Amino acid sequence: MRYYRPPLFGTLFRLEGNFSEWSIAKRLLFAALPAFMLLLIISGAISHRISQNFLHDALGRSSLLATLSQAHEMEQVLQQARRELLYLARTDISPASLAHHLRTRAETMGTLYREIAYQGSTPDNRMVLLNTGRDVWMVPLEQALATRFGPLTRQNTQEPKPGFVRISAPTEVVYPSVPTAGTVQGLSMHVLRLTTPVLDAAGNQTGLLTLSVDMLALRNVLSVYASRRSPLYIFPEETEKHRSFFFDAHGWILFQSESPEHPNLDLSTDTVRSGMRGDFGRSGFEAAFRPNPEQERYWGMVTEVQSGNSGQSRLGTMLEDPSPMNRAFYISYAPVTFSEGPGASTVVVGGIAYTDTSFLAMAASYKLYGALFVFGLCASAAAAFILGMLGRGIAGPLHRIAEETSGKLESGDLAPIDMGRVHPEAAALLQITNEMLAALQARNEELRLREEHIQSTRRRQRVCLDTEIAQQQPQSQLSPQDTMPGIVGTSESVRSLRGMIRKAAGVEADVLIIGETGTGKELAAEAIHMTSDRAGGPFISINCGALDENLLLDALFGHVKGAFSEARGERKGAFVAADGGTLHLDEIGNASPKVQQALLRALSVRRIRPLGSDDELPFDARIIAATNVDLKECARQGTFREDLYYRLAVITINTPPLRDRREDIPALADYFLKQAAQTLKRPAMGLSRGALEKLLAYGWPGNVREVKNCITRAVAFAEGDTLYAEDLRFGAELDPTLSHGALLPPSPVPAHAGQPPYPQGAMPQGHGQPVAPYPGDGAAYAVPYGAQTPQGMPGASVGAPMSAQTGGTMYDPVSGRIVATGSGNGGQDWSDAAMHGARARGDRAGSTPGGGRPTRNGQDGATTQPLSTLNPRQRAAWEFISRNGGITRTQYQDIVGNEIPVRTAQYDLQDMVRKGFIRKVGKGPATRYVLTDGGAPTPSRR
């Protein structure tokens, strides 16, 4: 609505209505305007004449003094470095002596001196010592010569005379590989180099010695003087702002002052160059900035500094013309000089510009106005009283309108303002304010709806994953020869992993792969095998954590015919079956001490002795072990043999967790989308923008395996060809009752159901039945999981599936899938498996307890507590337990979901044992938790 302005002269002279309805103009005309204007003119003229010259001159001198002090302080640092260099040139020029000197200075001065370099008369007599901030490191000569703008690179052919020191232009140097804190990383620094000749006892020049001064130390000098820590700081109550910057003799702005609380910030010119145009970055100094020639005042200042002159300008902003409203803004400048030697003329290294935006003059003017007002108040008390009363009457409604409007804008409540009866000006302002609030409310609602629509549309748009991958990793395109099947990603950590795999594949040495669960340890092992000379041989994987001790020993070493009562045929162990290829030992950290001892002997002599055989068999297989635990820590705790660790860890490869290479998530999502679509026979699938953002925001504690499972689950249940954010469920979003563990088929009927606990002639170890010894250490062992359990064989499984004893179909109790079929003729032979397909990726061997009668936990017969005593995780798994008669720790983790730790799962299961719901059967990897004999309550169906 257009604002209506009342006529100025129509009602101005008509004295009608009460005083509260008078207009502002009428009040000022008849009461306040003459006295207010008179006092304002008199006080303004007096204050202007008194303060204009003296105060600005004093502030200008203070600003110039601060500039000269900074230049002097910087010159003292350079002169100290000059004296330091001349002293070093007269001492012993040896690596040990120079390193000791630099290390001593680093302890007292930090990183003030960054480099000490010596260039002898011969090419081999050169060295560079580098102060990394933690220690002094001698840079290899090849790296020093290859370093751009390094101290051994001749940037100026002119050499100083004896006793003189030449100073170079400020330079940025980057060392790509510097050992720091146990790691190797790049180190970038900005330095000023001082060079002097080194003379022998006869006065002949033997080389050049260079000392580099870190420009961070020079920048910190400016930072101190531009803060309240400045030694020239006087007025603690003033609200002034200072900024200093340094420019070289050619006009390049190199750095600006920063907060002294952050002395290690990188050099920057962001603030000082704001509002100016020019060239950014020069050769040897990427952060430098040079304004365009149109900045005449700046280049006039540079010209004065080049001539060795200091001065000052009073500017509105830093480099613009002065304006009457900002006359308290100063920029002072002074040269920074350096004397190369006795009798030599000083060299202008650069200049310091110091900007002072002090409000001290304005504060003093306000104080002067106050004094004049008090003085005028004594002479015209009546006029001051009228002015104050009129001011309150005029400003009151306006302040109320402003406060109400501000409060409504902050709270978001844009309802109309109701102030009652006010004067016409305030009423007009109130009316237009209410109309603006109403328009703003309607506009905000429109913008909100539009923004919600835009965001919703954007989140549901299908993204091009190739473009997202390129944006996440713009410089990580792989050449065809760099690709490796199964190893997805182009991040630095994945590149490093591929490099380690290629190096490991090129040599014949055992490998230890260390990494968290789900990071692709077995894929790395397969990649080593496929890229090595053994690619034509078999690749066999054994999960050491899925088999009990006896089963694992037989799976590894095999047996001969007649080794025990049910050994009807010869069985090759994994060592023999992998001859000419690779044997992958997964979860090696879970192997028992007996298995560790057998592995140590086999790896030491490269020969094995199958069960029942008197002859040792040589094997030609490369061993690749994998673990997700710290074997060194296990060795210190005594749970893993230290000598076996050093046998396995000839080459150690670490698979990086996904949280350290989040930039590979788009590539992994694209890979698993295509894989899931092909596996599930779905059309080509894509991701929406919201789904990709959800993937990038999640922490992925389960690493790559969790990504694969999440995408596979989403593809399986997706309605169209695009996955949206609501299709991806992980972490707390997973409903425990709908996890894959709750949908498993019932476990097969155990062999002992309705039968004696042991087959005829079978007796567990420790119950009178003799145990067949393993050649070499006397350890007892049994057949591997998946083979027919022989009667009388030590370690026969009590709860093995019926088919495992009859040669029929055998189920994996973890996944519920068919994992093997037996023929009843002695079990599966490793030589019958497809050499490249005999893998155990992600499959847990579901061996049942063996080697003894199931152990009861002492809770049988106890009163079973109600289901309300169980926590939410236990209640989520109870339906599976009651339907299948038992559960394993791994099944419990799968059913509960949310990637709970092993200790949490064990605690929950032990808690259910104590409460009488289940009892523990078996030991080690064969541990299973079954329903108590007394039954259990039926879970409530809600």
Side-chain angles (χ1 to χ4, degrees):
M1 179 178 179
R2 185 174 182 180
Y3 175 71
Y4 173 74
R5 182 185 298 274
L8 180 61
F9 299 99
T11 60
L12 186 60
F13 298 98
R14 292 199 298 266
L15 300 178
E16 58 183 10
N18 56 36
F19 184 79
S20 62
E21 297 177 352
W22 280 16
S23 66
I24 296 178
K26 188 181 294 186
R27 294 186 183 190
L28 294 177
L29 177 63
F30 287 98
L33 184 59
F36 176 78
M37 291 300 297
L38 181 60
L39 291 176
L40 181 62
I41 293 173
I42 294 175
S43 60
I46 295 175
S47 63
H48 182 270
R49 289 181 179 273
I50 292 176
S51 62
Q52 181 179 16
N53 296 325
F54 296 100
L55 190 56
H56 284 291
D57 290 345
L59 291 177
R61 292 178 182 179
S62 175
S63 177
L64 182 59
L65 177 62
T67 306
L68 295 173
S69 300
Q70 295 177 59
H72 176 74
E73 188 73 19
M74 191 175 292
E75 290 173 355
Q76 290 300 312
V77 174
L78 296 178
Q79 289 300 324
Q80 179 185 356
R82 176 181 175 275
R83 292 190 293 270
E84 192 83 23
L85 180 62
L86 292 176
Y87 168 76
L88 287 174
R90 294 192 296 269
T91 60
D92 179 24
I93 306 299
S94 64
S97 175
L98 295 179
H100 173 73
H101 187 88
L102 184 58
R103 189 175 291 106
T104 303
R105 291 297 181 267
E107 293 175 355
T108 58
M109 301 179 182
T111 58
L112 175 61
Y113 300 137
R114 276 293 193 175
E115 302 169 323
I116 294 182
Y118 176 70
Q119 305 182 58
S121 57
T122 61
D124 295 335
N125 192 14
R126 290 176 292 185
M127 59 182 168
V128 176
L129 296 174
L130 180 63
N131 180 5
T132 65
R134 297 178 180 270
D135 199 0
V136 175
W137 178 59
M138 176 173 284
V139 182
L141 184 58
E142 295 80 4
Q143 182 176 345
L145 292 174
T147 300
R148 189 181 181 190
F149 302 110
L152 299 184
T153 305
R154 295 294 183 90
Q155 303 295 333
N156 190 347
T157 57
Q158 182 181 1
E159 296 182 357
K161 297 184 295 184
F164 284 70
V165 175
R166 187 192 70 225
I167 187 169
S168 66
T171 305
E172 179 182 6
V173 59
V174 178
Y175 290 93
S177 301
V178 177
T180 304
T183 62
V184 177
Q185 59 187 9
L187 181 62
S188 174
M189 62 186 70
H190 301 80
V191 295
L192 272 171
R193 293 195 177 102
L194 282 67
T195 305
T196 188
V198 178
L199 306 179
D200 57 11
N204 298 322
Q205 180 174 335
T206 61
L208 295 175
L209 185 63
T210 301
L211 178 65
S212 298
V213 178
D214 193 348
M215 297 193 71
L216 282 179
L218 304 181
R219 192 276 311 278
N220 292 337
V221 172
L222 305 186
S223 300
V224 171
Y225 274 87
S227 68
R228 296 199 174 193
R229 298 183 183 178
S230 171
L232 302 179
Y233 184 74
I234 301 175
F235 305 97
E237 70 277 1
E238 62 178 324
T239 56
E240 53 186 338
K241 297 181 181 179
H242 305 295
R243 176 75 66 179
S244 300
F245 63 90
F246 178 82
F247 56 91
D248 63 9
H250 301 289
W252 286 92
I253 301 176
L254 302 184
F255 55 83
Q256 65 186 21
S257 61
E258 304 288 353
S259 173
E261 284 78 11
H262 305 285
N264 296 323
L265 285 178
D266 293 336
L267 300 183
S268 172
T269 60
D270 294 340
T271 303
V272 72
R273 64 185 172 87
S274 61
M276 292 193 294
R277 297 181 179 180
D279 302 327
F280 185 74
R282 69 165 172 83
S283 178
F285 211 103
E286 296 297 331
F289 174 76
R290 181 174 63 184
N292 286 340
E294 63 188 23
Q295 302 289 340
E296 297 180 359
R297 288 184 174 272
Y298 172 78
W299 287 107
M301 178 179 66
V302 173
T303 303
E304 288 292 319
V305 169
Q306 291 173 345
S307 303
N309 301 325
S310 59
Q312 185 182 73
S313 297
R314 201 158 55 205
L315 304 178
T317 57
M318 185 177 298
L319 299 174
E320 296 179 359
D321 294 335
S323 65
M325 298 300 295
N326 297 316
R327 299 191 63 180
F329 287 16
Y330 300 93
I331 178 168
S332 306
Y333 53 88
V336 178
T337 61
F338 180 79
S339 177
E340 296 187 344
S345 60
T346 59
V347 177
V348 177
V349 180
I352 294 177
Y354 178 72
T355 61
D356 182 0
T357 59
S358 174
F359 292 95
L360 183 61
M362 186 179 298
S365 299
Y366 288 157
K367 291 181 180 180
L368 183 58
Y369 292 151
L372 293 175
F373 178 75
V374 173
F375 176 77
L377 185 63
C378 297
S380 54
F385 175 77
I386 295 174
L387 182 62
M389 294 301 295
L390 291 177
R392 290 184 59 184
I394 295 172
L398 303 181
H399 282 311
R400 288 175 58 192
I401 293 175
E403 291 174 358
E404 290 287 339
T405 304
S406 177
K408 289 182 176 298
L409 291 177
E410 291 179 358
S411 64
D413 180 16
L414 301 180
I417 301 174
D418 185 11
M419 296 183 57
R421 188 176 181 181
V422 293
H423 56 78
E425 288 80 4
L429 180 62
L430 180 61
Q431 180 182 1
I432 197 67
T433 300
N434 286 334
E435 292 176 358
M436 292 176 62
L437 289 175
L440 183 60
Q441 185 176 13
R443 184 62 176 172
N444 287 346
E445 182 65 18
E446 180 183 354
L447 291 177
R448 184 186 65 80
L449 295 176
R450 183 180 301 176
E451 181 66 20
E452 289 180 356
H453 176 70
I454 292 174
Q455 291 299 328
S456 177
T457 304
R458 177 182 176 274
R459 284 192 295 268
R460 300 189 72 82
Q461 285 179 346
R462 182 164 178 167
V463 298
C464 179
L465 288 176
D466 293 337
T467 303
E468 294 296 326
I469 294 171
Q471 291 178 355
Q472 291 282 340
Q473 304 157 347
Q475 299 178 351
S476 301
Q477 299 299 326
L478 290 178
S479 59
Q481 58 270 23
D482 291 335
T483 59
M484 188 173 292
I487 309 297
V488 179
T490 54
S491 62
E492 188 61 31
S493 56
V494 175
R495 286 172 174 268
S496 176
L497 176 62
R498 290 195 184 97
M500 291 294 295
I501 288 175
R502 291 190 182 89
K503 292 178 181 178
V507 296
E508 286 290 335
D510 295 337
V511 180
L512 176 62
I513 302 177
I514 303 174
E516 299 179 8
T517 300
T519 54
K521 297 185 292 297
E522 186 168 351
L523 289 176
E526 292 183 33
I528 295 174
H529 171 75
M530 296 303 298
T531 55
S532 67
D533 294 338
R534 294 177 176 267
F539 177 86
I540 293 179
S541 180
I542 297 293
N543 192 333
C544 300
L547 304 176
D548 66 7
E549 181 179 282
N550 295 330
L551 296 176
L552 180 58
L553 285 171
D554 189 68
L556 292 173
F557 301 100
H559 61 264
V560 297
K561 182 177 180 181
F564 46 87
S565 59
E566 290 298 324
R568 302 174 183 175
E570 180 180 349
R571 173 184 176 81
K572 292 182 180 179
F575 279 100
V576 176
D579 189 71
T582 302
L583 175 59
H584 176 221
L585 301 178
D586 198 7
E587 297 187 24
I588 189 66
N590 295 332
S592 65
K594 190 180 300 183
V595 175
Q596 294 178 30
Q597 181 180 354
L599 287 175
L600 177 63
R601 182 179 182 277
L603 295 177
S604 300
V605 301
R606 291 287 169 173
R607 300 176 69 87
I608 63 169
R609 180 180 298 170
L611 174 64
S613 175
D614 295 330
D615 300 325
E616 290 187 342
L617 301 178
F619 68 90
D620 178 21
R622 183 180 191 176
I623 307 302
I624 301 179
T627 181
N628 58 0
V629 297
D630 188 354
L631 295 184
K632 285 187 177 180
E633 182 63 26
C634 294
R636 284 192 292 268
Q637 296 176 359
T639 59
F640 195 83
R641 296 182 65 102
E642 185 176 10
D643 47 2
L644 178 58
Y645 168 76
Y646 288 110
R647 282 285 182 183
L648 295 172
V650 179
I651 298 176
T652 302
I653 296 178
N654 290 276
T655 54
L658 189 56
R659 60 178 175 273
D660 293 343
R661 56 185 189 103
R662 304 185 67 86
E663 60 270 25
D664 289 332
I665 291 179
L668 290 169
D670 183 51
Y671 178 81
F672 290 136
L673 273 174
K674 296 176 181 177
Q675 187 181 75
Q678 182 179 4
T679 303
L680 302 175
K681 293 181 172 40
R682 297 290 300 270
M685 302 293 292
L687 281 179
S688 67
R689 175 70 59 183
L692 180 59
E693 293 174 352
K694 189 174 182 180
L695 290 175
L696 292 173
Y698 185 54
W700 300 115
N703 295 299
V704 180
R705 181 181 295 127
E706 187 180 3
V707 177
K708 178 181 179 181
N709 293 341
C710 172
I711 292 179
T712 304
R713 179 169 55 246
V715 171
F717 292 99
E719 297 294 338
D721 60 352
T722 302
L723 297 183
Y724 300 103
E726 57 269 21
D727 295 330
L728 300 175
R729 304 175 61 203
F730 39 72
E733 295 182 356
L734 281 176
D735 186 355
T737 61
L738 297 179
S739 62
H740 65 278
L743 302 177
L744 297 178
S747 299
V749 179
H752 62 277
Q755 300 179 9
Y758 302 98
Q760 184 178 2
M763 182 68 65
Q765 183 177 347
H767 288 73
Q769 180 68 19
V771 178
Y774 170 72
D777 63 358
Y781 69 108
V783 298
Y785 173 77
Q788 180 181 0
T789 305
Q791 296 184 0
M793 176 66 187
S797 221
V798 174
M802 178 71 74
S803 56
Q805 298 186 10
T806 61
T809 303
M810 186 180 67
Y811 293 90
D812 183 350
V814 175
S815 63
R817 297 183 289 108
I818 299 176
V819 297
T821 54
S823 59
N825 57 359
Q828 179 185 6
D829 195 331
W830 284 107
S831 61
D832 297 334
M835 294 307 181
H836 296 294
R839 303 166 181 165
R841 183 186 312 153
D843 295 336
R844 300 179 181 88
S847 55
T848 52
R853 185 182 302 275
T855 304
R856 299 186 181 272
N857 56 16
Q859 298 294 331
D860 293 347
T863 302
T864 304
Q865 302 185 32
L867 286 178
S868 59
T869 60
L870 299 179
N871 61 40
R873 295 187 302 272
Q874 294 169 333
R875 288 198 295 270
W878 177 249
E879 182 177 356
F880 179 85
I881 298 174
S882 60
R883 184 175 70 242
N884 295 278
I887 196 172
T888 65
R889 187 262 303 166
T890 304
Q891 288 176 317
Y892 185 84
Q893 287 182 275
D894 291 339
I895 294 172
V896 174
N898 299 332
E899 300 295 336
I900 65 169
V902 175
R903 292 186 177 181
T904 303
Q906 292 176 342
Y907 174 83
D908 288 350
L909 292 171
Q910 291 295 338
D911 181 62
M912 296 179 72
V913 171
R914 289 192 297 270
K915 292 177 180 179
F917 289 95
I918 56 177
R919 58 187 176 87
K920 182 179 178 182
V921 177
K923 296 182 180 179
T927 301
R928 184 174 175 84
Y929 298 86
V930 299
L931 288 172
T932 56
D933 294 341
T938 302
S940 60
R941 302 285 184 178
R942 299 187 186 181

